[in-house]
Amino acid sequence: MPCVRFVQTVIAMKLSDRNARARQQRFVGRQAELELFRTTLLAKEPAFAVLHIYGPGGAGKTSLLHELARLATQQGRPTVYLDGRDVEPEPAAVKAALGSFLTAANGVLLIDTYERLAGLDGWLRGVFLPQLPAASLIVIAGRQVPTTWREDAAWADLTRIIALGNLPVEESHAYLAARGVPEPHHTAVLAFTRGHPLALSLVAELYRQGDAVAFGDTPAAYDVIRVLMERFVRDAPSSQHRKALELCAIARTTTEAMLANLFDADVAFELFQWLRQLSFIEHGPYGIFPHDLVREVLDADLHWRNPGDYAELQQAALTYLRRAAQVASGQERQRLRMDTIYINRRAPGMRDFFVWDSADTVYAEPAARADFPAIIDMVARHEGDASAAIARHWLARQPDRWLVYRTTGGELYGCMAQLALERATPEDAAIDPAVAAALAHVGASHPIQPGDTISHMRFWMARDTYQAIAVAVNVTAANCVIHWTSTPRLVWSFVTMANPELMAPHFQSIHFHRTPAAEFAIGGRHYGVFSHNWALMPVSAWQIDTR
């Protein structure tokens, strides 16, 4: 099944669910927003159809949306919550995730992390949302000011916009009291946090763990989080708790099994339970992960403060993920390989060449014959008819070496081919100059033996963005790593790039070298090629350069 981290029909939830109950118990404040929503739910003729909530990271938008979902469910309204992080930002994927809501009478739709769907803003306003029943109520939460909704004549009168800032003093006091922070400390805490919800949550965690220090005045929210997290890490119950938290910041998601790679099973269980109950830790289907601001602060602080510990935790996570990938298959294997790439996101050759926030929105699977016409059309659109004719040839000669990329909604997103050059015939080399050049280079530098294999990654692209830095790069890289690390007796790998200068730093970091002798031209267009000789650097010694 396509990987969507969290698309939940809230009406199906029960208040006895542990996560929902914990979330409700921790929610305090936002009375003005709750009352506005409650009034709108009960109104026969609501004053608006769309409630837009915007504010910076850590302002409590997600917590508020979950509380609004609870209120809507209490009123018997069909309620659906969608996080923009969990769906590919294209119409087909959103329709697949929300299709059932189109017929929900009197329904409430809550869309979180809207900035991830910014590219669909016009389509949502102009196509999707107008199809909903007239009594629908839509709540949208994101970090950006929704200026397009203010300026759209069709929506301006139907939209209410609320800026979600820090909590007022009274609500901050109430939150701290609810979290068990003694009242004599409230004034010092508010002077330090200025009512920033995430900062208040972190302070409450410190108090809960026995740290009753008073703080000074630090106005910037990021600095507040940084100072609080530095203190939280320093005052963690043990060095093992500190390491577990730091690992959680480095890895994309953390599981109890990953922790067991560092600690014994009993300790890993205890540490996982401790992590999962922290207020700034979120839960997904593949494990737990910190709030993005907390992750950024923890990761940057450890990398600066103790590069050795950072590298040790990186290696522990990589060891676990590589072992898990060896026994996994299909989309699970792709996800695990993408997680290994994510752990190296700080490396200069990695950080600017991937889309880190939506790595699970596209997956690859073997191409079916029904996909072939669309593949040929994609190649023709981006590379011309001459390349399309070569792609058609390889689809006939090596159909088993093609993958297609699909979105979480099942729509065709892109493709790639890992051609087996050891199977290439003289006819193949005559038709595809890439093959002729690569084989000539191999023959001139290192003769291969019977049973050796040679791969050439050709025709990789996204349907709309070709080889631009987009999600297609993620899924291409993950599947290349799978191929390179699992193909028996692989001695050479080649990669074709339409814009080799753009990706040169990345390929250098993974020890693939620009290979002019293997480069070629088709239809008047030059293609760059990078290669790796596995006889000189085998998989066992191959790693990403993190310097």
Side-chain angles (χ1 to χ4, degrees):
M1 294 291 291
C3 177
V4 177
R5 188 174 64 227
F6 181 61
V7 176
Q8 180 180 15
T9 303
V10 179
I11 193 170
M13 294 193 336
K14 298 179 184 296
L15 292 179
S16 59
D17 178 84
R18 285 184 64 183
N19 288 339
R21 185 171 64 247
R23 192 180 293 122
Q24 180 185 354
Q25 290 172 345
R26 284 178 171 173
F27 186 86
V28 174
R30 303 301 185 193
Q31 292 305 308
E33 291 82 2
L34 293 177
E35 186 57 33
L36 174 65
F37 183 74
R38 188 181 293 108
T39 301
T40 304
L41 282 177
L42 299 175
K44 292 184 178 180
E45 295 185 10
F48 55 86
V50 178
L51 176 61
H52 239 299
I53 301 167
Y54 72 94
K61 300 182 293 296
T62 296
S63 296
L64 176 58
L65 255 63
H66 282 297
E67 184 65 10
L68 299 182
R70 189 182 69 82
L71 293 177
T73 302
Q74 282 184 339
Q75 295 298 321
R77 301 282 289 266
T79 305
V80 171
Y81 173 100
L82 174 70
D83 193 322
R85 293 175 294 187
D86 301 330
V87 62
E88 173 68 15
E90 60 177 44
V94 173
K95 285 191 290 186
L98 299 178
S100 62
F101 191 77
L102 287 170
T103 57
N106 212 32
V108 176
L109 171 62
L110 304 104
I111 303 177
D112 202 358
T113 326
Y114 190 66
E115 62 273 9
R116 301 285 176 86
L117 302 176
L120 291 182
D121 184 71
W123 175 79
L124 286 166
R125 285 183 288 111
V127 178
F128 183 78
L129 294 180
Q131 300 177 68
L132 300 182
S136 300
L137 178 60
I138 300 105
V139 183
I140 298 173
R143 295 187 179 186
Q144 310 301 323
V145 180
T147 54
T148 54
W149 293 77
R150 285 174 173 166
E151 298 167 355
D152 189 327
W155 287 102
D157 292 339
L158 297 175
T159 303
R160 179 70 60 86
I161 298 173
I162 296 176
L164 202 66
N166 291 354
L167 290 174
V169 173
E170 297 79 6
E171 293 184 355
S172 296
H173 280 292
Y175 177 83
L176 292 172
R179 295 295 306 278
V181 179
E183 195 279 332
H185 297 294
H186 289 193
T187 299
V189 170
L190 295 186
F192 177 68
T193 64
R194 306 293 181 88
H196 188 279
L198 179 59
L200 289 170
S201 174
L202 291 171
V203 169
E205 291 291 355
L206 288 170
Y207 274 103
R208 191 171 63 84
Q209 298 195 24
D211 190 340
V213 69
F215 297 104
D217 182 21
T218 306
Y222 182 89
D223 289 338
V224 169
I225 306 270
R226 178 181 56 79
V227 172
L228 286 170
M229 288 313 302
E230 287 173 359
R231 184 167 199 91
F232 192 88
V233 169
R234 188 189 72 195
D235 296 339
S238 72
S239 61
Q240 292 177 322
H241 288 78
R242 173 179 54 77
K243 276 195 170 184
L245 182 59
E246 291 168 341
L247 177 67
C248 196
I250 290 172
R252 191 153 66 120
T253 58
T254 300
T255 63
E256 186 177 329
M258 182 181 287
L259 291 172
N261 196 53
L262 269 177
F263 313 100
D264 65 45
D266 290 341
V267 173
F269 173 80
E270 176 190 340
L271 294 175
F272 189 77
Q273 296 305 314
W274 175 74
L275 285 170
R276 72 187 302 182
Q277 52 80 42
L278 298 176
S279 61
F280 51 85
I281 295 294
E282 302 181 37
H283 301 70
Y286 306 118
I288 57 177
F289 54 96
H291 184 283
D292 54 358
L293 276 179
V294 171
R295 184 196 293 278
E296 183 180 344
V297 167
L298 282 173
D299 188 82
D301 176 67
L302 179 62
H303 190 268
W304 166 80
R305 174 170 48 82
N306 196 328
D309 277 5
Y310 190 95
E312 177 188 335
L313 290 172
Q314 266 189 316
Q315 192 55 51
L318 286 169
T319 299
Y320 166 78
L321 291 168
R322 287 166 179 161
R323 288 174 180 167
Q326 288 174 356
V327 297
S329 60
Q331 293 178 48
E332 174 68 4
R333 196 179 195 186
Q334 294 176 51
R335 182 185 66 80
L336 290 166
R337 284 304 185 186
M338 191 59 229
D339 284 357
T340 66
I341 294 171
Y342 181 87
I343 286 175
N344 288 289
R345 65 194 178 278
R346 279 190 166 272
M350 304 294 290
R351 61 180 175 232
D352 297 327
F353 299 97
F354 291 86
V355 179
W356 301 113
D357 295 332
S358 51
D360 288 331
T361 59
V362 175
Y363 65 99
E365 65 181 10
R369 291 197 175 274
D371 298 316
F372 290 4
I375 291 172
I376 294 168
D377 286 345
M378 269 190 280
V379 177
R381 184 195 316 174
H382 294 295
E383 297 188 358
D385 292 338
S387 278
I390 296 172
R392 184 182 290 107
H393 170 81
W394 285 116
L395 284 165
R397 288 279 293 118
Q398 295 188 11
D400 58 311
R401 304 308 293 259
W402 287 80
L403 298 176
V404 289
Y405 306 157
R406 300 195 190 281
T407 68
T408 51
E411 185 173 350
L412 190 67
Y413 180 84
C415 66
M416 68 177 284
Q418 281 282 13
L419 302 180
L421 298 197
E422 74 280 1
R423 290 159 47 185
T425 66
E427 178 190 4
D428 295 330
I431 289 173
D432 189 350
V435 172
L439 288 175
H441 177 70
V442 170
S445 58
H446 191 280
I448 65 171
Q449 303 299 315
D452 288 347
T453 57
I454 307 168
S455 69
H456 197 141
M457 201 265 283
R458 293 275 279 121
F459 303 112
W460 78 272
M461 64 190 68
R463 181 193 58 205
D464 298 325
T465 58
Y466 188 41
Q467 294 183 5
I469 294 173
V471 182
V473 176
N474 296 35
V475 70
T476 301
N479 282 278
C480 279
V481 172
I482 289 170
H483 179 79
W484 297 335
T485 57
S486 63
T487 301
R489 296 188 62 175
L490 182 63
V491 293
W492 278 94
S493 289
F494 294 88
V495 177
T496 294
M497 291 296 304
N499 185 357
E501 289 77 17
L502 173 67
M503 297 293 287
H506 167 67
F507 281 105
Q508 180 180 353
S509 75
I510 64 170
H511 308 289
F512 270 62
H513 306 290
R514 184 79 180 266
T515 313
E519 297 186 354
F520 59 94
I522 297 175
R525 181 175 184 177
H526 181 83
Y527 293 87
V529 173
F530 296 86
S531 70
H532 183 86
N533 185 337
W534 297 102
L536 297 180
M537 180 184 283
V539 169
S540 59
W542 180 67
Q543 61 182 359
I544 295 168
D545 187 352
T546 59
R547 292 171 296 175

